[in-house]
Amino acid sequence: ILILATLFCIYLNLVQSYQYNNYILPYDGIDKALYWKIFLVTNRDAPGLFPFPDSTKLDFYKGVEYDYDFENNQPLWQRGNNITSETAHSGKLSGFVSGDSNFSSTLELPVSKLPHDSGTLCAYITVWVKAKSRDANTKIVVSVVGRGGESYSWNGCGVMGFVLKLNQWQEAGALVELPEFKSLDDHVVVFCYGTKGFTYIDDLDVRFGKLKK
């Protein structure tokens, strides 16, 4: 029995390492219900796998919100070339990521524009996605980039676990704790990224707040 228990613990550790590296096991915010929901799950794209991030955990800053509908150029957003009129959640245009076009339009927000009071600063991101196939590995990415262009924090949150049906618009989200910034010249960078499949993206919204005590 001891040998079997030891072997199972080793197996569980390997599965959970795989889950963490493939964005199945969250790095924080997990509770008993979610733990058992994803217990031994290795399909990162299982429909309805992820609960929507809980916005009630945050005290949002007023006026610190950046949204992009892929229709026009907007300040602080770097508009990508992967814009299409084939479909849209709102308006006439949307973005997309695919094996040939990995990065969506990108928010590049100077740290100097964020509040600097005490507490744990978080980014809360929502985006509407329309996936063509289950092999898509699209992620919401939040990175912090230093003055020299190096990224010293990178979090990728998979969106396919939010997708219940293919070829339909569905909302995905992420809540990411930000690190202590090294300089006010640094940037918080938010975008969608994918190397497989094809996913339309629209109405990308980024808000910031502090974790409630």
Side-chain angles (χ1 to χ4, degrees), residues 42-181:
T42 56
N43 178 11
R44 65 185 174 191
D45 300 331
L49 181 66
F50 299 146
F52 209 80
D54 186 2
S55 62
T56 63
K57 292 182 177 180
L58 299 178
D59 284 321
F60 288 104
Y61 292 111
K62 293 182 179 179
V64 188
E65 181 173 3
Y66 304 88
D67 62 288
Y68 191 63
D69 60 8
F70 296 88
E71 300 294 321
N72 302 293
N73 292 324
Q74 293 184 30
L76 301 176
W77 287 91
Q78 300 299 317
R79 185 177 174 87
N81 295 322
N82 47 341
I83 305 293
T84 181
S85 59
E86 293 177 2
T87 184
H89 177 254
S90 67
K92 297 181 179 180
L93 301 176
S94 66
F96 64 86
V97 294
S98 67
D100 297 322
S101 187
N102 304 143
F103 297 87
S104 74
S105 299
T106 302
L107 174 66
E108 296 184 0
L109 179 66
V111 168
S112 59
K113 290 185 174 293
L114 291 171
H116 296 286
D117 50 348
S118 61
T120 303
L121 180 64
C122 296
Y124 186 88
I125 305 98
T126 58
V127 62
W128 286 85
V129 298
K130 183 179 179 180
K132 285 187 172 183
S133 63
R134 280 278 161 203
D135 66 340
N137 63 349
T138 308
K139 305 171 184 65
I140 299 168
V141 175
V142 181
S143 177
V144 182
V145 178
R147 285 182 292 180
E150 78 288 353
S151 173
Y152 60 86
S153 176
W154 193 99
N155 286 278
C157 306
V159 305
M160 291 303 293
F162 294 98
V163 175
L164 298 177
K165 294 182 179 180
L166 297 175
N167 297 307
Q168 291 188 14
W169 286 105
Q170 289 146 103
E171 193 174 22
L175 193 163
V176 176
E177 291 186 21
L178 298 174
E180 183 176 348
F181 301 123

